[in-house]
Amino acid sequence: MPYGSRLAAQMTRRLGRECLYTPSARLALYLALRRWCRPGARVLMSPVNDDVILFVVLAAGLRPVQAPVSLRDGNIDPAAVPESTWRNVDAVLTTNLYGVPDRVIELRRRCDELGIPLFEDAAHAIGTRVEGRPIGAFGTAAAFSLSKHVAGAAGGFLAVDGVRTRRELERLRDELLVPGRLRADLATTLRPLARSGVRALHLVRPVWRTMQRLGVLERDAFRMELHPLRLADRASRAPGLTAYEPWVRVDLHGYRSRHGALVRAQLKLRVDRLDGDLARRAVGVSLLSGTAWAAPALRERPGCDGPLPLFRAPLLVQDRDALLERLVDHGVVCGYVYDPPLDDYAGAEFVEPSPAPWAARWFAAHVLPADPLLARGITNALTREGARAAHPPTAAATAATVAPCPRVR
Ligand SMILES: Cc1ncc(COP(=O)(O)O)c(C=O)c1O
């Protein structure tokens, strides 16, 4: 039986597509990029994305092309992508930022016209549907992460069409996996339990502050350090996961580990509970959507569809960074802030900058990703802190006021 096939079968049933199990979404994306893109291919993607994904694209030997994004949700704005760019890209990678869907029908149509693959990053969007179809059912391939919705500390899937393609990708995956270790597997199994224990005992604030003080957090800022000289050195050599390991593994060192039965059994239990988790998320999203801070993407959902079971609900606030710090005192640590946008972060040496970067800068600087499972606590904390809503400006006003951020080194 192929590795992880019981978990994969669960996902295949949900999605109605062939799925293979991977230890992470980043490895799933890497497999897809390697399978469908020739070396040097240009991949259109949103700059409001996890930096790890940028390094996955580089590790696959590809050129990340940054797209203009929508101020509503931070996802690619297909209408704002210049025709010259469309003619010069070889693939499109969506983000489904925080679970809010990309304009996937339009992107699918565009990719079909151009004869290029569409890759769906569904890491945040395991419960999101568009016109009745799940995110992950639209692309040439789609990557899912179990570290997100079901709070595992490992696990992912790649969804593809056809048994032959799935088997081919399983072989490529098996070549890339590194042997797991019992100690690491125990840590992977215990980490989610420790996290929920800390929350249940109201210890988030002291634990987080202690970790900050001890310097044991992997990131000091929203973006990891770029180390441009080292990165340029790697870029001059043959690409691959090993060359880009220091960047690709950040936040999940076991991203390519062949985890044993213990980890996979725990993940299976968590996936069994996924629907209950999604239902609770939808309730939280409904509450957050009614607040003054809700991003337009939350407020302007067509009525009949109901709230999406998002991974995070995007709120837009003024003085976001200070507010994030103060939320820690209320026991809320918000991750998943992708600021500055990837083109400001990495520069033109490593990515092709967006022709219209303002919306990405504005959105990345104001968004506060709220966990819908903590909706009530976050709403109370924001009210007590007197958080002020930020309203997306017009494109012209944004261009005039949003300056690029300095590159992170
Ligand atoms: C948008 C996005 N895609 C993919 C990933 C990678 O997921 P994983 O940690 O399972 O590799 C992340 C991680 O946070 C993410 O935010």
Side-chain angles (χ1 to χ4, degrees):
M1 276 231 292
Y3 175 63
S5 53
R6 280 182 68 207
L7 274 162
Q10 260 180 309
M11 193 62 185
T12 298
R13 278 195 297 278
R14 279 193 85 82
L15 207 59
R17 277 188 105 176
E18 290 291 325
C19 290
L20 59 137
Y21 172 76
T22 56
S24 62
R26 63 196 77 181
L27 187 69
L29 277 175
Y30 181 78
L31 292 172
L33 295 170
R34 283 275 309 272
R35 165 66 175 72
W36 277 281
C37 296
R38 61 174 170 75
R42 294 157 51 84
V43 182
L44 187 73
M45 62 186 287
S46 162
V48 188
N49 198 342
D50 193 347
D51 38 26
V52 161
I53 303 308
L54 169 72
F55 296 112
V56 168
V57 175
L58 292 174
L62 311 175
R63 174 84 171 154
V65 177
Q66 305 304 294
V69 306
S70 160
L71 277 169
R72 290 184 72 252
D73 54 25
N75 286 321
I76 296 175
D77 181 355
V81 177
E83 281 306 313
S84 54
T85 303
W86 277 121
R87 282 197 299 276
N88 277 303
V89 291
D90 304 294
V92 174
L93 172 62
T94 64
T95 315
N96 298 297
L97 187 64
Y98 305 131
V100 176
D102 265 85
R103 287 144 192 84
V104 74
I105 294 184
E106 208 174 328
L107 290 172
R108 177 80 257 181
R109 184 181 54 73
R110 264 292 183 165
C111 287
D112 286 347
E113 281 166 10
L114 294 164
I116 61 175
L118 172 68
F119 301 117
E120 290 180 88
D121 182 343
H124 293 185
I126 204 167
T128 299
R129 299 180 84 83
V130 171
E131 297 192 0
R133 287 170 70 194
I135 282 294
F138 295 87
T140 313
F144 291 87
S145 171
L146 293 179
S147 308
K148 311 290 178 296
H149 275 84
V150 302
F157 299 101
L158 183 65
V160 295
D161 285 331
V163 176
R164 267 183 57 190
T165 310
R166 195 244 303 148
R167 288 203 183 123
E168 185 191 328
L169 284 155
E170 278 169 350
R171 282 193 294 273
L172 180 56
R173 172 201 63 189
D174 291 346
E175 281 168 27
L176 294 169
L177 290 180
V178 296
R181 285 193 315 256
L182 184 62
R183 239 179 90 187
D185 275 12
L186 277 174
T188 300
T189 310
L190 292 177
R191 200 167 300 129
L193 305 176
R195 267 194 227 128
S196 34
V198 165
R199 199 168 296 136
L201 296 170
H202 303 288
L203 292 175
V204 171
R205 178 175 166 245
V207 169
W208 183 256
R209 295 287 185 224
T210 307
M211 287 168 76
Q212 275 179 324
R213 236 168 273 135
L214 294 177
V216 294
L217 297 171
E218 211 170 3
R219 295 165 182 271
D220 292 333
F222 302 134
R223 296 297 190 188
M224 70 176 89
E225 279 193 50
L226 187 67
H227 300 294
L229 292 180
R230 217 189 319 161
L231 191 60
D233 172 60
R234 303 300 157 103
S236 67
R237 302 193 215 163
L241 286 177
T242 307
Y244 287 85
E245 188 78 10
W247 296 271
V248 173
R249 72 175 183 192
V250 167
D251 304 327
L252 196 62
H253 286 214
Y255 78 96
R256 59 189 291 201
S257 293
R258 194 183 177 95
H259 294 299
L262 183 64
V263 171
R264 282 178 286 130
Q266 194 209 38
L267 290 176
K268 169 120 186 20
L269 288 177
R270 288 178 177 274
V271 176
D272 286 342
R273 296 201 300 256
L274 178 59
D275 285 323
D277 180 86
L278 292 176
R280 283 194 298 281
R281 283 179 185 277
V283 172
V285 170
S286 174
L287 178 77
L288 291 162
S289 302
T291 66
W293 311 291
L298 287 181
R299 268 184 280 115
E300 295 161 13
R301 291 264 311 148
C304 53
D305 288 351
L308 286 169
L310 299 177
F311 169 56
R312 293 288 182 269
L315 308 180
L316 295 174
V317 294
Q318 298 182 33
D319 300 323
R320 194 269 322 272
D321 295 1
L323 208 47
L324 286 177
E325 267 305 299
R326 296 207 301 276
L327 280 183
V328 176
D329 296 334
H330 295 268
V332 178
V333 175
C334 296
Y336 304 96
V337 174
Y338 303 135
D339 188 24
L342 292 173
D343 34 8
D344 290 338
Y345 162 63
E349 188 180 350
F350 302 109
V351 306
E352 185 162 313
S354 164
W358 315 284
R361 285 180 190 146
W362 191 91
F363 189 87
H366 292 89
V367 71
L368 187 149
D371 184 346
L373 298 178
L374 308 176
R376 180 109 15 228
I378 292 179
T379 311
N380 291 343
L382 290 177
T383 305
R384 259 184 265 138
E385 290 295 340
R388 286 170 301 141
H391 300 288
T394 60
T398 324
T401 55
V402 183
C405 309
R407 189 155 110 168
V408 181
R409 295 210 169 234

